[in-house]
Amino acid sequence: MDINLFKLCSGLKFLGYLMILLVLAIVAVSYYAVVVLTWAPRLLRGGLSSFLAFLVLLLFHLLLLLLSWSYFMVVLRDPGSVPENWRPVRDEENFEGDASYLPHEASGSGSTWPSSNGSEGRPPSGFCIRCQNGKPPRCHHCSICQRCVLKMDHHCVWVVNCVGACNYKFFLLFLLYTFLETTMDTLVLLPSFINFFSEAKDHSNSPGKLAVIFVAFVLNLAFALSLLCFLVMHGSLVFSNTTSIEVYEKKKGVRWKYDLGRRKNFEQVFGTKKALWLFPLLSEEDLGKTPALHGLEFPTRSDVEA
């Protein structure tokens, strides 16, 4: 009995929908702990305490808005699909050292492939056997989504979507704002967390309130620490114009051919409009003059130096 492992992988999509509910639950717990239980009541105290509470709540809601906006842009935005019957302009640009698109039968020395003139030969580089379509540079086939994704970085179960050329910026902003939000939540809940043990011992507060503050503090601290690692990793990938998949393809000691310098590498993800860098938006001008944002073609060092 043959088992299609790729169809089994597609079952991970169901896990992704549970992750969305988990994200919403964490946001709800944090909101209740920070806003309802801790800082909103301080608005009524007057003086410096009310002013500080106002600033905390304002920053909390601003980061929450940017976080949610970025998150749903990643969830809803297509990461980049290969146009039907796409064919490379220059075939030699499409070989990335990724053999995942080749059938197992084609990997051997005696494998053949039907050509347009009826003869048989090697399968063309830049062709996905699973999608039966052309495969642009830096494109990879996602076994969970069951399709090729342009400049694929990874499949993220937290957003039930692949992260690719067309939504990578939104994913990075989601990481950034989630890190800032969880870090802020950890700091503003820290006094309440410190008082948790004395209040629990003296029974000076309801067990439910104490439990919510404790859980919210621990969750936000854990996410802040883990997201810091992800931000550092993806920051290095952005400035070297590399994806998580391509890290394993780069040859040690050889400069990556798509590395155009930190500024241009950054602009290939975030665009050239500085005013939009911190928002999950891309200007029409950037979409028109930056091919990398579409994911079908990418300038190389030789193109820039020529």
Side-chain angles (χ1 to χ4, degrees), residues 36-269:
V36 179
L37 295 181
T38 309
W39 288 93
R42 300 190 185 189
L43 290 173
L44 303 177
R45 294 182 182 179
L48 183 60
S49 179
S50 294
F51 180 71
L52 180 60
F54 173 78
L55 292 180
V56 168
L57 293 174
L58 178 63
L59 182 59
F60 177 91
H61 285 91
L62 177 61
L63 290 175
L64 181 60
L65 174 63
L66 293 170
L67 181 162
S68 303
W69 186 8
S70 301
Y71 180 71
F72 286 108
M73 286 295 287
V74 182
V75 172
L76 301 175
R77 185 69 172 262
D78 191 315
S81 302
V82 183
E84 189 175 357
N85 298 321
W86 182 90
R87 289 295 179 269
V89 177
R90 291 182 292 173
D91 189 68
E92 65 271 13
E93 291 182 346
N94 294 279
F95 182 70
E96 300 295 329
D98 171 28
S100 64
Y101 60 87
L102 295 178
H104 294 295
E105 296 80 12
S107 60
S109 58
S111 61
T112 58
W113 188 266
S115 63
S116 57
N117 59 10
S119 62
E120 293 184 338
R122 296 283 296 177
S125 64
F127 185 85
C128 179
I129 186 61
R130 298 171 199 153
C131 296
Q132 289 294 302
N133 197 14
K135 191 173 184 182
R138 314 182 74 179
C139 175
H140 294 268
H141 187 93
C142 177
S143 300
I144 299 174
C145 294
Q146 294 287 302
R147 65 182 178 120
C148 282
V149 176
L150 300 177
K151 195 187 174 186
M152 178 180 173
D153 187 88
H154 68 287
H155 183 94
C156 182
V157 295
W158 289 94
V159 301
V160 204
N161 200 1
C162 273
V163 177
C166 299
N167 67 351
Y168 188 41
K169 174 187 177 180
F170 311 144
F171 174 76
L172 294 176
L173 290 177
F174 167 60
L175 289 184
L176 174 63
Y177 291 128
T178 304
F179 169 72
L180 295 176
E181 180 75 271
T182 53
T183 300
M184 192 200 80
D185 290 354
T186 302
L187 293 176
V188 299
L189 288 174
L190 182 59
S192 299
F193 179 77
I194 294 175
N195 294 331
F196 166 82
F197 301 98
S198 60
E199 291 180 353
K201 184 178 179 180
D202 300 336
H203 302 285
S204 58
N205 229 321
S206 67
K209 177 181 177 181
L210 294 176
V212 170
I213 292 176
F214 181 86
V215 170
F217 177 84
V218 172
L219 283 176
N220 279 278
L221 177 61
F223 272 93
L225 293 176
S226 60
L227 285 169
L228 178 60
C229 299
F230 277 106
L231 277 175
V232 172
M233 181 190 76
H234 279 284
S236 65
L237 293 177
V238 169
F239 286 116
S240 62
N241 205 348
T242 315
T243 65
S244 300
I245 295 176
E246 290 169 342
V247 167
Y248 300 99
E249 298 177 0
K250 293 168 62 175
K251 295 180 180 179
K252 293 183 178 180
V254 179
R255 187 180 176 188
W256 184 234
K257 69 177 182 178
Y258 296 113
D259 187 356
L260 310 179
R262 291 194 171 191
R263 177 62 181 260
K264 290 185 178 180
N265 292 342
F266 182 86
E267 290 178 347
Q268 286 203 1
V269 176

Side-chain angles (χ1 to χ4, degrees), residues 17-47:
Y17 295 117
L18 294 180
M19 294 305 235
I20 291 180
L21 295 178
L22 179 59
V23 170
L24 296 177
I26 293 172
V27 170
V29 169
S30 299
Y31 191 93
Y32 187 68
V34 174
V35 177
V36 179
L37 295 181
T38 309
W39 288 93
R42 300 190 185 189
L43 290 173
L44 303 177
R45 294 182 182 179

